[in-house]
């Protein structure tokens, strides 16, 4: 009967270690059933699960491995594996797989302890842990520091909603972001990203900037507050606010557009998505003038927003066409998915307001970005601690990939 042996090797990392060990195994006609390797702070950890055929002498295999690792200055451990144990391990590979991604300015041991405790509580096994963010400097955490760890988890979840709620509650308590996704084929095949504009791609609400320029800032703010309290529906509140802009010199739009502050990570995110072949779109309840400005600045593919009417160099206080509200955003997302010939599961939607919830709910990956509490609670994922480029971590894209 063939023997199954787990080999664990550890020591200072150097080139050629894996080649040297596998060359020995190859010379003995050994089958490799599983292999994993990791390097942490220049320390190599290599695990190889081997099957030694009956025609080979296992003691000879292990002796050669022992001599070679001794020459290299490595520690080695051999563990026999029974056929039953191996069969159970193989059967476990068919269980559901999940991805948990931690995002913060700094990830501590306490964060990991509490997240892994929940994973254990629900009977899940951690298969792999990867650091997605760059190496952490000792000088301290700055406002631009990013930290992200991805965990590949295996096991059956009878109640995914309860598990997700437990994770969300913990994220709130720890003041970090924790994203939970099923590890399915769609996670690696997203193809379209739809962004809200105001307070998402830019750190401003354009209508407030226009209102300030028109001298009606307080009046517009009062209508906005009334709408947030649910006293006025979005379309009506939007019309009232735009009406107050009547007579504003259209030249102001250009100066406001040029001064709009991009959200942290916006340029890096969009440029990376373009390199990877993603299509991007702005679906905004704001104005096309500013959407088009961002389209050219960032290289966005599609822009859908509200057309602010201008006559004789002045804002008329009206918009033409259908107002882009929450329902319309969801419709536009569906239309773009059809145009790109992709499944809705391959779409990512990002927004911060209640009017973004309809598109967040139908996208395969809906992300509430620095959003209001009601939006975070109802979105599939939430990012509040990092910039927009934190979305790359949810796609499994590490800093070392984007820096190459």
């Amino acid at each position: 009967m063939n023997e199954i042996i787990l080999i664990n090797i550890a020591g200072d990392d150097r080139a050629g270690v894996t080649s040297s060990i596998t060359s020995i195994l190859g010379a003995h006609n050994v089958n490799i059933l599983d292999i994993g390797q990791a390097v942490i702070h220049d320390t190599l950890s290599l695990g190889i699960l081997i099957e030694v055929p009956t025609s080979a002498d296992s003691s000879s295999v292990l002796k050669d491995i022992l001599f070679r690792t001794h020459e290299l200055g490595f520690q080695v451990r051999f563990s026999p594996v029974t056929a039953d144990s191996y069969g159970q391990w193989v059967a476990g590979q068919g269980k559901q797989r999940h991805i948990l991604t931690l995002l913060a300015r700094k990830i501590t041991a306490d964060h990991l302890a509490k997240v892994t405790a929940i994973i254990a509580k629900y009977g899940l096994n951690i298969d792999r842990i990867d650091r997605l963010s760059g190496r952490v400097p000792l000088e301290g955490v700055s406002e631009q520091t990013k930290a992200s760890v991805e965990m590949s988890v295996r096991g059956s979840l009878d109640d995914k909603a309860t598990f997700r709620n437990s994770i969300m509650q913990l994220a709130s308590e720890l003041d970090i972001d924790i994203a939970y996704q099923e590890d399915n084929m769609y996670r690696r095949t997203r193809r379209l990203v739809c962004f809200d504009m105001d307070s998402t791609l830019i750190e401003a609400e354009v209508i407030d900037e226009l209102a300030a320029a028109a001298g009606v800032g307080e009046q517009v703010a009062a209508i906005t507050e009334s709408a947030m309290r649910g006293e006025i529906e979005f379309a009506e509140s939007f019309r009232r606010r735009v009406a107050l802009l009547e007579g504003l010199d259209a030249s102001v739009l250009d100066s406001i557009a040029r001064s709009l502050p991009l959200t942290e990570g916006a340029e890096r995110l969009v440029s990376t998505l373009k390199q990877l072949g993603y299509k991007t779109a702005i679906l905004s309840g704001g104005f096309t003038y500013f959407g088009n400005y961002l389209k050219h600045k960032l290289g966005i593919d599609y822009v859908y927003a509200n057309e602010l009417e201008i006559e004789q160099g002045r804002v008329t206080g009206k918009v033409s066409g259908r107002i882009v509200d929450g329902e319309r955003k969801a419709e536009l997302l569906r239309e773009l998915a059809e145009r790109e010939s992709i499944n809705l599961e391959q779409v990512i939607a990002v927004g911060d307001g209640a009017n973004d919830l309809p598109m967040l709910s139908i996208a395969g990956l809906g992300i509430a970005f620095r959003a209001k509490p009601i939006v975070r609670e109802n979105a599939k994922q939430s990012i509040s601690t990092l910039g927009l480029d934190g979305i790359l971590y949810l796609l499994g894209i590490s800093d070392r990939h984007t820096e190459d």
Side-chain angles (χ1 to χ4, degrees):
M1 183 175 177
N2 293 355
E3 289 186 75
I4 301 175
I5 302 169
L6 176 61
I7 304 172
N8 290 109
I9 297 171
D12 295 338
D13 186 36
R14 68 186 73 176
V17 174
T18 305
S19 172
S20 180
I21 299 301
T22 52
S23 293
I24 294 173
L25 299 176
H28 288 278
N29 296 316
V30 165
N31 294 325
I32 293 180
L33 302 175
D34 195 18
I35 185 168
Q37 177 175 309
V39 177
I40 299 179
H41 194 60
D42 294 330
T43 298
L44 171 71
S45 178
L46 171 63
I48 308 176
L49 186 63
I50 65 170
E51 179 188 29
V52 183
T54 52
S55 58
D57 179 7
S58 62
S59 61
S60 178
V61 176
L62 302 188
K63 181 183 68 174
D64 288 350
I65 293 292
L66 185 61
F67 285 162
R68 182 61 57 85
T69 52
H70 178 73
E71 291 173 354
L72 294 171
F74 275 69
Q75 295 178 333
V76 62
R77 185 179 68 193
F78 305 108
S79 305
V81 176
T82 66
D84 286 344
S85 175
Y86 180 74
Q88 291 173 6
W89 177 76
V90 170
Q93 299 306 297
K95 292 184 178 179
Q96 299 171 359
R97 291 186 174 273
H98 321 270
I99 297 293
L100 288 179
T101 311
L102 281 64
L103 306 95
R105 294 299 177 184
K106 182 179 183 180
I107 293 175
T108 68
D110 184 55
H111 295 154
L112 292 172
K114 289 178 178 175
V115 172
T116 53
I118 287 185
I119 291 171
K121 175 183 174 182
Y122 282 84
L124 303 175
N125 255 9
I126 299 173
D127 278 344
R128 194 186 71 250
I129 300 178
D130 294 313
R131 172 176 53 84
L132 298 180
S133 51
R135 295 177 178 176
V136 181
L138 292 177
E139 300 83 66
V141 179
S142 72
E143 291 184 357
Q144 300 300 313
T145 299
K146 299 189 294 289
S148 180
V149 170
E150 179 184 278
M151 299 182 182
S152 177
V153 179
R154 174 170 41 86
S156 299
L157 278 175
D158 296 329
D159 190 346
K160 294 177 183 178
T162 301
F163 177 72
R164 185 188 294 274
N165 288 339
S166 297
I167 289 294
M168 288 179 61
Q169 183 177 344
L170 180 63
S172 178
E173 292 171 2
L174 299 178
D175 196 24
I176 64 174
D177 296 318
I178 309 174
Y180 160 66
Q181 303 176 66
E182 291 184 44
D183 192 7
N184 57 32
M185 67 176 184
Y186 293 116
R187 181 171 178 263
R188 301 285 184 178
T189 59
R190 314 287 189 195
R191 281 291 165 262
L192 170 67
V193 187
C194 297
F195 297 98
D196 173 47
M197 179 172 66
D198 296 43
S199 296
T200 300
L201 272 178
I202 56 174
E203 294 181 335
E205 292 287 334
V206 170
I207 198 164
D208 292 341
E209 301 295 322
L210 293 171
V216 293
E218 292 184 5
Q219 294 164 265
V220 166
I223 296 172
T224 300
E225 285 296 319
S226 180
M228 290 180 67
R229 291 193 299 268
E231 298 169 356
I232 317 171
E233 56 95 20
F234 175 82
E236 178 58 26
S237 70
F238 184 73
R239 291 190 188 94
R240 291 188 190 181
R241 285 178 288 174
V242 173
L244 292 170
L245 303 178
E246 183 179 1
L248 179 66
D249 192 319
S251 63
V252 173
L253 274 64
D254 182 66
S255 62
I256 289 177
R258 292 178 183 277
S259 64
L260 289 175
L262 288 173
T263 297
E264 175 196 351
E267 289 182 283
R268 178 171 177 260
L269 171 62
V270 175
S271 64
T272 301
L273 292 174
K274 286 173 63 67
Q275 291 176 40
L276 295 173
Y278 284 73
K279 292 291 185 178
T280 54
I282 291 175
L283 306 182
S284 172
F287 304 106
T288 53
Y289 184 95
F290 303 96
N292 286 328
Y293 178 84
L294 292 175
K295 176 181 179 180
H296 296 297
K297 183 179 181 68
L298 296 175
I300 302 289
D301 295 294
Y302 302 103
V303 172
Y304 293 92
N306 299 297
E307 192 67 45
L308 189 61
E309 283 190 357
I310 296 174
E311 293 181 359
Q312 298 179 347
R314 297 280 175 179
V315 173
T316 67
K318 299 177 183 178
V319 291
S320 58
R322 180 179 172 184
I323 291 176
V324 178
D325 56 9
E327 181 184 349
R328 181 60 178 151
K329 286 187 178 187
E331 289 179 6
L332 289 166
L333 185 147
R334 289 182 185 277
E335 290 174 11
L336 285 173
E338 289 182 11
R339 179 181 301 184
E340 295 294 331
S341 300
I342 60 175
N343 189 294
L344 285 175
E345 285 289 336
Q346 296 175 274
V347 181
I348 301 169
V350 189
D352 73 300
N355 65 326
D356 295 312
L357 280 173
M359 73 171 182
L360 297 184
S361 67
I362 65 172
L365 181 60
I367 303 170
F369 179 74
R370 297 181 181 177
K372 285 75 176 175
I374 189 172
V375 183
R376 291 200 304 269
E377 292 167 8
N378 287 279
K380 295 170 185 172
Q381 309 297 344
S382 174
I383 294 180
S384 298
T385 59
L386 302 184
L388 274 174
D389 52 349
I391 291 171
L392 295 173
Y393 296 141
L394 300 193
L395 303 180
I397 300 170
S398 69
D399 286 351
R400 63 182 176 273
H401 292 143
T402 58
E403 290 167 0
D404 289 343

